[in-house]
């Protein structure tokens, strides 16, 4: 996959680790495959936004791997580096299957606002990230099993894991209505 110059510039600026770059490239590959199927079915999808959003969604991991921080930081870095707001929203709305403003408050996030994926591009990248572990594509069922593990490992946030499961199932259903079986 050819990496756009502006993406490569910020990857290098923040010294994004190679393993995170490979993960982002795999997410972009999967996201573009879904986006192209949706587009071929006659729906409007911004392929450039999907590609750049997927390639930059984990930019914050250049600074922190904290699960409840990296997506916020990704959005901030993307905005600060002059990318379109659409790209920033893709990055900050990819975590879990979204975070409502109330959940952000309950989770103690440093930024309390709506992080729910709304646009089709946001939903595509969010879903593609869930079926990617490292730089390998995994099945949707494997992702659901990972949620089961997280519930057992972190019972204090099981309520949020349950919300994630419900939301990602709805996102998958919506994408399948537009793209066909994923």
């Amino acid at each position: 996959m050819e990496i756009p110059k502006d993406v490569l510039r910020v990857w290098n600026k923040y010294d994004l680790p190679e393993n995170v770059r490979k993960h982002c490239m795999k997410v972009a590959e999967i996201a573009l495959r879904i986006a192209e199927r949706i587009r071929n079915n006659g729906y409007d999808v911004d392929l450039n936004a999907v590609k750049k959003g997927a390639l930059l969604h984990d930019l914050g991991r250049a600074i922190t791997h904290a699960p409840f921080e990296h997506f916020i930081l990704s959005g901030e870095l993307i905005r600060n580096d002059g990318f379109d707001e659409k790209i920033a929203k893709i990055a900050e709305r990819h975590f879990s299957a979204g975070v409502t403003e109330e959940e952000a408050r309950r989770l103690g996030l440093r930024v309390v606002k709506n992080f729910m994926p709304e646009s089709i591009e946001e939903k595509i990248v969010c879903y593609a990230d869930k079926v990617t572990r490292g730089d390998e594509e995994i099945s949707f069922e494997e992702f659901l099993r990972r949620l089961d593990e997280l519930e057992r490992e972190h019972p204090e946030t099981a309520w949020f894991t349950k919300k994630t499961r419900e939301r990602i199932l709805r996102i998958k259903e919506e994408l399948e209505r537009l793209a066909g079986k994923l």
Side-chain angles (χ1 to χ4, degrees):
M1 167 183 303
E2 186 172 331
I3 308 301
K5 285 184 172 61
D6 53 354
V7 169
L8 197 53
R9 176 183 56 79
V10 295
W11 277 6
N12 292 336
K13 175 181 178 180
Y14 296 105
D15 198 22
L16 189 67
E18 188 63 27
N19 66 316
V20 180
R21 293 178 191 216
K22 287 180 178 177
H23 167 74
C24 291
M25 290 168 56
K26 179 54 82 170
V27 171
E29 175 190 313
I30 296 166
L32 285 168
R33 186 173 69 223
I34 295 167
E36 287 168 359
R37 286 175 53 191
I38 291 171
R39 193 173 197 184
N40 290 341
N41 285 340
Y43 299 96
D44 186 34
V45 179
D46 184 339
L47 296 179
N48 184 56
V50 168
K51 182 176 185 176
K52 287 186 179 183
L55 290 171
L56 293 169
H57 80 279
D58 272 348
L59 185 62
R61 290 193 183 273
I63 296 164
T64 182
H65 284 280
F68 293 123
E69 173 65 18
H70 82 278
F71 64 98
I72 297 169
L73 193 52
S74 293
E76 292 169 349
L77 295 174
I78 290 166
R79 283 184 187 91
N80 291 342
D81 277 282
F83 286 89
D84 190 278
E85 179 65 14
K86 183 186 271 192
I87 308 295
K89 284 183 176 178
I90 289 171
E92 70 182 12
R93 293 178 176 181
H94 85 274
F95 177 70
S96 187
V99 181
T100 66
E101 186 173 342
E102 176 54 37
E103 290 164 352
R105 190 172 292 107
R106 186 172 174 189
L107 290 167
L109 302 185
R110 71 171 172 83
V111 175
V112 175
K113 69 177 193 178
N114 175 29
F115 293 104
M116 295 295 293
E118 296 172 358
S119 74
I120 192 63
E121 293 83 4
E122 292 164 7
K123 291 174 184 177
I124 290 168
V125 173
C126 177
Y127 177 85
D129 184 56
K130 302 308 157 278
V131 295
T132 305
R133 179 172 284 172
D135 63 353
E136 298 292 324
E137 186 169 357
I138 63 171
S139 71
F140 186 72
E141 291 70 27
E142 286 176 87
F143 172 70
L144 294 178
R145 284 193 294 276
R146 177 67 181 130
L147 290 179
D148 293 338
E149 290 172 22
L150 287 171
E151 277 186 7
R152 286 190 300 276
E153 293 168 9
H154 303 283
E156 71 281 4
T157 54
W159 63 271
F160 184 65
T161 306
K162 182 178 185 225
K163 292 281 187 190
T164 298
R165 183 178 289 104
E166 293 166 3
R167 290 177 183 145
I168 201 62
L169 284 166
R170 282 196 305 271
I171 288 171
K172 182 179 189 282
E173 288 169 4
E174 180 180 349
L175 295 177
E176 286 184 331
R177 278 194 304 275
L178 301 173
K181 184 90 173 117
L182 297 178

